[in-house]
Amino acid sequence: MPYDAYEPVIGLEVHVQLDTESKIFSPDSTAFGADPNAQVDPVSLGHPGTLPVLNGRAVHHALRLGVATHAKISRRSVFARKHYFYPDLPKGYQISQYDTPICYDGYVEIEREDAPSSPDEEAGDDADPTRGASLKRVGLTRIHLEEDAGKSIHPEADAASLIDYNRCGVPLVEIVTEPDLRSPHEAYQFLEKLRQIVRYLQVSDGNMEEGSLRCDANVSVRPRGHSDFGTRTELKNLNSMRHVEDALAYEITRQIAARERGASVSQQTLLWDPDAGVTRPMRTKEEAHDYRYFPDPDLVPITVDEDRLDAVRASLPEMPDARRRRFIEDVGLPPYDAGVLTEEREVADYFEETLQQVFKRTKGGDTQAQAKAVSNHIMTDVLRVLNEDDRSVDDLPVTPERLAQLVYLRLQDRVSSSAGQEVFERMMEEPEKSAGKIADEYDLIQVSDRDAIESVVASVVDENEEKVRTYLDGKEGLLGFFIGQVMQRFDGSPNPKLVRELLNEHLERRRAEA
Amino acid sequence: MTHPTFAEAHRAIEEEETSCEALVSSFLETIDEKNDALNAFTAVDDEGALNHARYLDSQRERGNARPLSGLVLAVKDNICIRSFPVTCGSKMLEEFSSLYDATAIQRLREAGAVFIGKTNCDEFAMGSSNETSHFGPVKNPVAPDHVPGGSSGGSAAAVRAGMCHAALGSDTGGSVRQPAAFCGTVGLKPTYGRVSRYGLVAFASSLDCIGPMANSVEDAALLLETIAGADPNDATSADVDVPAYREALDGGVDGLRVGLPKEYFTEGLDPDIERMVRAQVETLSDAGATVKEVSLPHTEYGIATYYVLATAEASSNLARYDGIRYGFRADLQETKDDIRERRAELKKELSAARSNGNDERAADLRTELDEQQSVLDALYTRTRTQGFGDEVKRRIMLGTYALSAGYYDDYYEKAQRVRTLIRNDFDRAFEEVDVLVTPTTPTPAFCLGEKTDDPLEMYLNDVYTVTANLAGVPGLTVPIGTHPGDPPLPVGMQLLGRHFDESLLFRVGQVVEDQVADDERRAEPDRR
């Protein structure tokens, strides 16, 4: 099939639950996992006479997201009512934003898959120099604030449906992208990047499985080189990043196959069935909805002046791309390390705290090597433990200070690399003890006492005349044998570097004597 | 008929001539005696009110008198009082009770007011005669075959008939002022945002105001003083200081500039009402006010603008009454049976049409079958068809239309622009004068059933009141005597002021109230 003759065009609509204590228009709690209908006051339930009052925190989060995605900010934006009847929508309308989204015209950068196919996709002038032209901008048409609806549950065995209104009124931002994505993988990357951004900003946990990040996708295909869009379909029920990628791949193949057959693609909404691995038309009737939007007279416009915007800008953390760049350019980490360490804000924070603690101890020297040493420990020990136990770095028993102690031991050569790993494991179990204490207790300190090592080295050389001759005749592979002998005879862990150095010294002395 | 005021009751309590309990008992007797005929109350809380009164008396004995101890209030049945029904005059909420106090109620409660009951009103406050109530019309206490006005007809009748000291109503297009005028009481629509709407069941959110109705300007001022002010639960409530309105009452009108908007004295105005209003203006002039004619040129668009905007907002605000979570729900089984029967019918007809070779008919039937409503949609339709009355349904349809794609710009959007013009009219007028004087209604109370068949005629009754809601300015109606017709019906005069300048309205209203009282005293010896 001439799959490559077609170009997919993908746009996403992403809903992100904002992390606020209370709902967007009422004081109800938003905590996840409460009993059904335990977080509902008369406002959430749309009881007669109740009024919405805007949660300033939700606005602040939306503005932070807007600024972090290079979006323009509306100086004045209004809420509108979007009308439709559904049992999980208590007021018969959703409070949303219509013609004045709070943010618009932003972008997010992702890794480019292929060379740009048209000049308008070229990365801008301020593209990350550490990545060159390999970045692609995905345009954000708009970011708007709205309230979530309740959750309908339709138990199969039961004729009745159940509704949990706890989610009603949880603040959301809806992020609509331009149709800039050209492959399922790009969609995946975009979502990953977006999730990274909302997590860095701490505006959302971005958890797709718990529904705090939800994604619908619009997709069409067109013959490569054409600029008109094909007929698109909308994909729903994409409950993980993997689903998004799989559903898009399936749907693109389906659309191409249809076109190749000479059939047309009809504009419709499809549900992804992850078990069967297919998309199916939604069973509900596709009615052309007239939502009858109009400005909500219960709410006043959101106004954002320069002072407020300055405060928002000042509140932004260093974002992942900038941090990555700084780790490479200022800290001196290899690009790979910088990428891994900045993936999550907490890990990057952990790295920097540990590094500061190391600097306190080293008071100068080769800071680049010190950073690399910290990076090595985090990438091997810390991230391995986090992945195995599926936990966050914030829950790690080994504090940055403890890890710094360990790194310092390594930098001083007081523990070997394998002993270092053991010290880390022990610290996980006994977080109250310092790295040095653990190394002591478990006899993991390596001996760097030159005289002690030298006496053993001398006796090994003395006692193996024959092997020494063979070595000096050119069989240098025997060095390993000598090292092994020294290690065996030594009481404790001699510093292997020192052992090697002293052996060399002694053997060369013999050569000179010979 | 006695017209009890709180000011008088307060004096009597202070001098220990009466108690809160005695006052409540006496009002309960009056209610008992008159409510069957007037139908002013939808719920009376005998026991609750008496208990509360006794509690207030005992507190008083301990030296904890509250500022409004002894004030007995009736509350329109679209304002929420915790654990009271709030029917809004609708079958839709017949069985519904509120879970919370409206902000106005909470403030009155803290001040020591007693809530004696909830008053009948037009369904969801939509009506000008109180005839759209699911619980039957209220009768005008002055002339029982006449309407009390609406939509706060129950509140006006209760105040006029001496069933309480005062009442709360709500005013979206005149619903406090028109019934107050028809029943001969004082009624205030405050500035939009002056009083929190939290707990007022929404009809048209950008126009709705809670307002006091009372037997004296002083009582109305006192009530406003208590309920006004910013409220964190209402984003549209205004953070503007609340003055001590009662202190402004004796200011007189000397040097005040009074405007007569010429558009309010045109065709359609009852000549006797015009004469009576002009006579009052004459007296104000005698008391030192300067009077001049002004123009509010966009007045004629008021009714049309109002009915586009109010119905648009209503269609949205009333969407929540769907039978799912609370309130009336149509019978589910009947709904299902109906769908099933209709389906069977359609299928039978379809096969008949097919066997007759009537392809066109068969296609139509097929379409109808395919488009049959789901049970859920059918339940919505049935619930709202049965739960709402005709006037409410009419307005929901009008408003839905005005907000529909393709019509929004021509109706809602355009009406918003006219609303701005109307507001500008007032701003300009208030550069020239301090207060505007108009009739409150074009005619006195009409007969029950007189206008129920002609919605447009009914809407025109709001011609002098809707503009204040559109502009957001305050409007006070004060009784100015009795119409010479038969039967002799009350006539009201409306005072319109600048935003948040209720003080001035009360000041002028007090002068008018005193003038009218003087006139009546002078007239009385003649009758003997």
Side-chain angles (χ1 to χ4, degrees):
Chain A
M1 194 172 52
Y3 191 95
D4 289 344
Y6 289 91
E7 179 182 51
V9 176
I10 301 165
L12 301 179
E13 262 179 52
V14 186
H15 286 91
V16 177
Q17 270 186 7
L18 297 178
D19 196 0
T20 54
E21 300 268 304
S22 60
K23 294 185 178 178
I24 183 165
F25 298 121
S26 83
D28 274 332
S29 164
T30 55
F32 182 79
D35 284 344
N37 297 313
Q39 292 163 348
V40 289
D41 65 9
V43 181
S44 291
L45 290 177
H47 269 220
T50 56
L51 295 171
V53 176
L54 180 60
N55 181 341
R57 199 76 206 145
V59 176
H60 188 63
H61 279 345
L63 290 173
R64 281 159 54 88
L65 183 57
V67 172
T69 55
H70 320 280
K72 300 194 173 90
I73 307 296
S74 297
R75 292 313 163 107
R76 182 178 182 280
S77 69
V78 299
F79 283 100
R81 296 183 180 180
K82 175 182 179 180
H83 299 86
Y84 61 93
F85 284 103
Y86 202 68
D88 61 23
L89 189 70
K91 298 186 294 296
Y93 58 82
Q94 179 193 27
I95 304 178
S96 181
Q97 294 194 296
Y98 184 52
D99 40 18
T100 56
I102 186 161
C103 312
Y104 59 100
D105 275 1
Y107 66 86
V108 163
E109 284 174 337
I110 60 171
E111 302 272 347
R112 183 180 294 281
E113 287 214 300
D114 309 307
S117 60
S118 61
D120 64 326
E121 287 178 27
E122 292 282 4
D125 295 337
D126 56 345
D128 187 342
T130 62
R131 297 197 197 199
S134 67
L135 285 180
K136 167 173 178 158
R137 278 188 184 175
V138 181
L140 304 183
T141 316
R142 57 188 282 151
I143 300 175
H144 75 240
L145 275 164
E146 61 185 25
E147 58 178 344
D148 209 344
K151 202 160 124 191
S152 296
I153 302 147
H154 310 287
E156 273 176 44
D158 200 334
S161 294
L162 304 171
I163 311 167
D164 179 2
Y165 290 104
N166 283 351
R167 211 180 62 185
C168 240
V170 167
L172 297 178
V173 283
E174 182 178 314
I175 302 157
V176 182
T177 76
E178 292 289 308
D180 284 349
L181 299 160
R182 291 292 175 269
S183 74
H185 184 63
E186 281 191 354
Y188 182 93
Q189 277 190 297
F190 171 81
L191 285 173
E192 216 175 39
K193 191 79 203 178
L194 185 65
R195 183 174 64 182
Q196 185 187 40
I197 291 171
V198 299
R199 285 184 177 172
Y200 254 75
L201 294 170
Q202 293 170 332
V203 300
S204 173
D205 64 19
N207 190 329
M208 270 193 104
E209 284 68 31
E210 284 178 10
S212 39
L213 192 151
R214 304 194 282 270
C215 177
D216 297 337
N218 285 299
V219 57
S220 62
V221 298
R222 63 184 175 195
R224 225 164 259 286
H226 282 220
S227 56
D228 295 349
F229 294 127
T231 307
R232 65 188 158 85
T233 55
E234 187 180 0
L235 306 182
K236 288 182 177 286
N237 196 38
L238 309 174
N239 297 326
S240 72
M241 305 247 179
R242 188 56 56 198
H243 285 184
V244 174
E245 199 171 6
D246 291 350
L248 281 169
Y250 173 87
E251 181 59 16
I252 288 163
T253 312
R254 188 190 72 82
Q255 289 188 10
I256 292 171
R259 293 180 73 127
E260 284 294 303
R261 269 201 320 275
S264 65
V265 174
S266 57
Q267 186 168 344
Q268 58 182 334
T269 303
L270 302 162
L271 288 184
W272 172 243
D273 179 343
D275 298 327
V278 297
T279 56
R280 302 183 204 279
M282 257 175 87
R283 251 181 300 162
T284 52
K285 275 180 291 181
E286 260 300 292
E287 286 171 54
H289 262 301
D290 182 355
Y291 291 120
R292 291 181 284 116
Y293 282 102
F294 82 108
D296 192 325
D298 288 333
L299 290 160
V300 292
I302 304 172
T303 51
V304 182
D305 58 16
E306 205 50 45
D307 285 351
R308 182 161 188 190
L309 213 47
D310 284 344
V312 168
R313 288 195 193 104
S315 79
L316 287 194
E318 186 181 22
M319 295 307 286
D321 289 340
R323 202 167 196 182
R324 180 179 162 280
R325 213 180 299 180
R326 180 167 61 82
F327 279 11
I328 297 169
E329 291 173 355
D330 298 353
V331 181
L333 286 179
Y336 174 79
D337 292 41
V340 172
L341 292 177
T342 53
E343 213 156 276
E344 285 181 47
R345 179 179 170 176
E346 290 76 10
V347 172
D349 288 346
Y350 186 88
F351 166 77
E352 295 212 68
E353 278 169 49
T354 307
L355 190 57
Q356 288 314 312
Q357 292 284 344
V358 169
F359 287 166
K360 261 195 218 165
R361 290 166 172 79
T362 57
K363 298 194 175 75
D366 183 352
T367 56
Q368 190 168 338
Q370 292 162 14
K372 179 60 184 155
V374 174
S375 168
N376 286 346
H377 269 280
I378 291 179
M379 293 207 300
T380 54
D381 299 330
V382 174
L383 292 181
R384 176 178 49 80
V385 167
L386 294 184
N387 283 335
E388 278 167 10
D389 304 356
D390 190 26
R391 61 172 146 186
S392 136
V393 71
D394 292 337
D395 309 328
L396 198 73
V398 180
T399 61
E401 187 180 5
R402 290 272 184 265
L403 187 67
Q405 292 166 350
L406 173 55
V407 171
Y408 190 54
L409 288 180
R410 286 280 299 129
L411 286 169
Q412 289 180 309
D413 259 342
R414 295 188 57 215
V415 294
S416 66
S417 125
S418 62
Q421 197 172 334
E422 192 177 340
V423 171
F424 182 79
E425 301 288 344
R426 301 277 180 198
M427 285 200 294
M428 287 289 292
E429 304 300 322
E430 301 168 78
E432 72 285 356
K433 292 179 184 164
S434 73
K437 189 166 162 81
I438 285 179
D440 269 344
E441 275 183 23
Y442 292 93
D443 236 357
L444 296 168
I445 294 287
Q446 63 186 2
V447 176
S448 298
D449 178 342
R450 210 178 168 92
D451 294 346
I453 297 174
E454 189 155 16
S455 77
V456 179
V457 165
S459 60
V460 166
V461 170
D462 284 348
E463 289 163 28
N464 290 282
E465 292 285 349
E466 204 164 320
K467 290 247 163 47
V468 170
R469 263 196 306 278
T470 321
Y471 174 87
L472 292 175
D473 285 348
K475 200 155 182 225
E476 301 201 338
L478 273 173
L479 186 65
F481 163 81
F482 294 117
I483 293 174
Q485 287 293 307
V486 175
M487 303 299 261
Q488 246 177 44
R489 288 203 202 172
F490 199 84
D491 184 22
S493 327
N495 181 338
K497 236 161 64 189
L498 213 50
V499 171
R500 182 182 290 262
E501 188 188 315
L502 289 166
L503 266 172
N504 267 327
E505 216 170 274
H506 277 252
L507 289 167
E508 290 310 313
R509 205 178 298 156
R510 285 294 172 99
R511 192 193 299 277
E513 286 166 12
Chain B
M1 204 163 330
T2 56
H3 304 310
T5 63
F6 170 68
E8 165 56 20
H10 186 68
R11 187 203 55 79
I13 288 178
E14 292 282 296
E15 291 177 18
E16 298 186 2
E17 293 167 15
T18 186
S19 65
C20 297
E21 186 182 354
L23 287 165
V24 169
S25 299
S26 141
F27 284 125
L28 285 173
E29 273 170 39
T30 312
I31 291 171
D32 217 27
E33 180 190 322
K34 294 182 174 172
N35 195 48
D36 282 352
L38 294 178
N39 198 27
F41 283 86
T42 47
V44 178
D45 185 26
D46 309 49
E47 230 169 280
L50 278 170
N51 283 336
H52 193 195
R54 288 184 199 115
Y55 166 77
L56 290 169
D57 285 333
S58 72
Q59 285 292 304
R60 188 183 169 72
E61 275 163 32
R62 285 189 210 131
N64 298 330
R66 310 266 184 100
L68 296 188
S69 288
L71 173 63
V72 181
L73 277 181
V75 176
K76 187 177 182 179
D77 208 10
N78 64 349
I79 297 171
C80 293
I81 306 181
R82 193 188 167 98
S83 74
F84 270 60
V86 51
T87 68
C88 298
S90 180
K91 177 177 178 178
M92 195 59 98
L93 293 176
E94 192 165 2
E95 309 288 336
F96 182 77
S97 291
S98 183
L99 293 172
Y100 67 97
D101 277 344
T103 301
I105 293 298
Q106 192 199 327
R107 289 177 179 174
L108 286 164
R109 196 193 286 286
E110 276 163 18
V114 172
F115 308 111
I116 201 165
K118 302 296 291 285
T119 53
N120 202 348
C121 57
D122 280 299
E123 186 176 5
F124 287 103
M126 299 178 190
S128 308
S129 66
N130 219 112
E131 292 168 296
T132 72
S133 169
H134 174 62
F135 306 101
V138 177
K139 312 288 169 56
N140 191 318
V142 181
D145 55 344
H146 281 63
V147 302
S151 63
S152 312
S155 289
V159 171
R160 173 68 195 210
M163 297 158 135
C164 52
H165 286 124
L168 291 185
S170 69
D171 192 317
T172 306
S175 278
V176 160
R177 289 160 289 158
Q178 187 251 26
F182 277 10
C183 292
T185 73
V186 174
L188 173 78
K189 181 207 96 75
T191 309
Y192 184 80
R194 176 77 293 185
V195 178
S196 167
R197 290 184 296 118
Y198 187 71
L200 167 65
V201 180
F203 157 16
S205 314
S206 75
L207 302 160
D208 292 343
C209 295
I210 291 180
M213 305 171 84
N215 281 316
S216 71
V217 172
E218 183 183 3
D219 277 7
L222 175 66
L223 274 169
L224 183 66
E225 213 171 297
T226 311
I227 63 180
D231 175 14
N233 287 325
D234 177 0
T236 63
S237 66
D239 193 7
V240 175
D241 281 346
V242 180
Y245 291 115
R246 274 178 306 172
E247 288 172 14
L249 290 177
D250 299 328
V253 294
D254 194 19
L256 212 65
R257 297 171 301 167
V258 172
L260 293 179
K262 62 178 182 196
E263 292 81 4
Y264 287 64
F265 295 89
T266 54
E267 207 181 332
L269 173 61
D270 178 284
D272 288 310
I273 293 184
E274 175 165 4
R275 181 183 47 75
M276 290 170 70
V277 170
R278 288 195 187 277
Q280 289 301 326
V281 172
E282 193 79 15
T283 323
L284 288 176
S285 164
D286 293 346
T290 57
V291 179
K292 71 184 280 191
E293 190 174 79
V294 295
S295 174
L296 301 169
H298 297 92
T299 301
E300 62 172 310
Y301 305 111
I303 291 280
T305 305
Y306 172 80
Y307 275 94
V308 170
L309 295 179
T311 59
E313 292 184 20
S315 73
S316 171
N317 283 327
L318 271 61
R320 68 190 64 196
Y321 308 110
D322 58 6
I324 301 293
R325 291 158 306 277
Y326 53 80
F328 173 77
R329 179 192 285 184
D331 190 285
L332 181 59
Q333 196 53 49
E334 267 178 29
T335 309
K336 286 182 177 169
D337 292 347
D338 262 23
I339 292 178
R340 201 173 303 128
E341 275 168 36
R342 182 67 190 145
R343 174 167 295 266
E345 222 170 87
L346 285 168
K347 281 186 176 163
K348 219 166 100 188
E349 283 181 45
L350 180 62
S351 64
R354 278 185 179 147
S355 54
N356 294 339
N358 189 345
D359 290 346
E360 208 174 307
R361 174 84 182 128
D364 287 350
L365 289 164
R366 185 69 252 170
T367 313
E368 198 182 337
L369 255 175
D370 289 344
E371 288 176 357
Q372 242 199 331
Q373 277 187 317
S374 67
V375 173
L376 178 64
D377 285 343
L379 187 67
Y380 283 143
T381 306
R382 191 175 272 256
T383 296
R384 290 168 65 82
T385 302
Q386 296 176 357
F388 290 135
D390 288 346
E391 183 59 28
V392 169
K393 280 186 275 197
R394 179 180 298 121
R395 296 197 193 191
I396 290 174
M397 295 305 293
L398 281 171
T400 302
Y401 184 83
L403 291 177
S404 296
Y407 299 99
Y408 181 88
D409 291 349
D410 285 345
Y411 291 94
Y412 184 82
E413 193 65 46
K414 184 172 276 182
Q416 284 291 16
R417 287 201 294 272
V418 180
R419 182 177 187 173
T420 305
L421 295 177
I422 290 173
R423 192 172 322 181
N424 295 344
D425 278 358
F426 278 96
D427 288 346
R428 264 192 295 273
F430 286 126
E431 284 168 13
E432 292 181 56
V433 296
D434 303 308
V435 64
L436 295 168
V437 175
T438 80
T440 308
T441 59
T443 65
F446 43 90
C447 285
L448 284 158
E450 191 181 321
K451 297 187 179 186
T452 42
D453 294 335
D454 189 348
L456 202 58
E457 181 72 8
M458 189 75 92
Y459 296 171
L460 286 172
N461 215 260
D462 303 330
V463 63
Y464 301 143
T465 47
V466 293
T467 46
N469 299 80
L470 290 168
V473 299
L476 177 73
T477 181
V478 187
I480 54 167
T482 306
H483 193 270
D486 182 37
L489 294 163
V491 170
M493 184 170 89
Q494 176 173 244
L495 309 171
L496 299 170
R498 297 185 184 97
H499 289 105
F500 300 102
D501 201 6
E502 284 85 356
S503 285
L504 185 64
L505 299 187
F506 289 133
R507 205 171 109 195
V508 180
Q510 186 63 56
V511 172
V512 174
E513 188 174 279
D514 293 343
Q515 283 173 188
V516 172
D518 284 350
D519 291 348
E520 279 174 3
R521 263 195 300 277
R522 271 197 296 276
E524 256 171 38
D526 298 347
R527 258 185 241 157
R528 276 192 204 138

